[in-house]
Amino acid sequence: MKLNPAIIVLSFLFALMIGFMWVIYPRYTDIPDVTDLKHRNVDFVALADEWRKTPSYIVTFNALDPSYEVTTSTNSLFDPSDDYFGLPRDNQKTFELVEAYCTACHSLSIVMQQKATPERWEELLDWMEKKQGMQKLPPEDEMLILEYLSTHFSSSQ
């Protein structure tokens, strides 16, 4: 009976691969139980007690346009306990429109950190529609939102 040379070569390569794996692959016998944190000598309860109990809302970047420098302010309107996160209220309830449209993609803290001119707000809305996939606003909603943003979050105040 004559063996096919290809089968012999493949069998030899397979045996080499098994041998290589046997030598190289580590065989751990003393793996610590990762669910048992006692071996780490860390007091996790003490660490957790040092953490802040309330989250910190610190503005670290401007998500709408990273080229604009963000100034942090201690008198921020952002309030996570408020239904509308601290948006200024108006008689036309435009703050509800701003919340509905804007929070579909990002947080209201991004809106409230901006200090853009009315023209820049219009550019930002256009940019979000064309480049970021925001739905086209109905003209009456767009007019109300632009007026609201220009009134409450404008650098021309």
Side-chain angles (χ1 to χ4, degrees):
M1 179 168 108
K2 188 173 178 185
L3 291 174
N4 187 341
I7 293 177
I8 294 173
V9 169
L10 287 175
S11 299
F12 179 73
L13 290 174
F14 184 70
L16 276 176
M17 184 179 72
I18 296 290
F20 179 75
M21 293 300 290
W22 180 259
V23 171
I24 299 299
Y25 189 75
R27 290 172 299 282
Y28 294 108
T29 56
D30 59 342
I31 299 173
D33 181 9
V34 293
T35 60
D36 179 21
L37 299 177
K38 293 176 187 169
H39 73 279
R40 294 190 184 182
N41 297 325
V42 176
D43 187 359
F44 290 100
V45 175
L47 285 175
D49 287 339
E50 293 174 12
W51 296 343
R52 282 183 281 205
K53 304 301 180 205
T54 56
S56 173
Y57 298 98
I58 299 171
V59 179
T60 56
F61 69 98
N62 179 335
L64 293 180
D65 189 349
S67 67
Y68 283 161
E69 186 176 328
V70 176
T71 59
T72 57
S73 173
T74 57
N75 59 356
S76 171
L77 296 171
F78 189 71
D79 180 6
S81 64
D82 179 28
D83 287 341
Y84 294 96
F85 300 97
L87 281 177
R89 306 308 199 258
D90 63 339
N91 292 335
Q92 296 171 314
K93 297 203 179 235
T94 310
F95 64 93
E96 292 178 346
L97 282 175
V98 169
E99 189 272 337
Y101 283 114
C102 297
T103 59
C105 298
H106 55 74
S107 75
L108 287 174
S109 64
I110 291 174
V111 175
M112 292 189 283
Q113 76 184 11
Q114 304 301 313
K115 294 294 180 194
T117 63
E119 295 79 23
R120 180 65 180 150
W121 276 118
E122 196 167 353
E123 288 174 10
L124 284 170
L125 283 177
D126 188 50
W127 172 76
M128 286 185 267
E129 287 174 359
K130 290 181 179 171
K131 302 286 186 181
Q132 302 300 313
M134 184 176 94
Q135 68 176 347
K136 179 79 174 137
L137 297 175
E140 61 276 359
D141 287 354
E142 185 174 357
M143 183 188 71
L144 285 170
I145 289 172
L146 281 172
E147 182 181 325
Y148 178 86
L149 294 173
S150 297
T151 301
H152 296 289
F153 304 105
S154 177
S155 60
S156 64
Q157 292 182 21

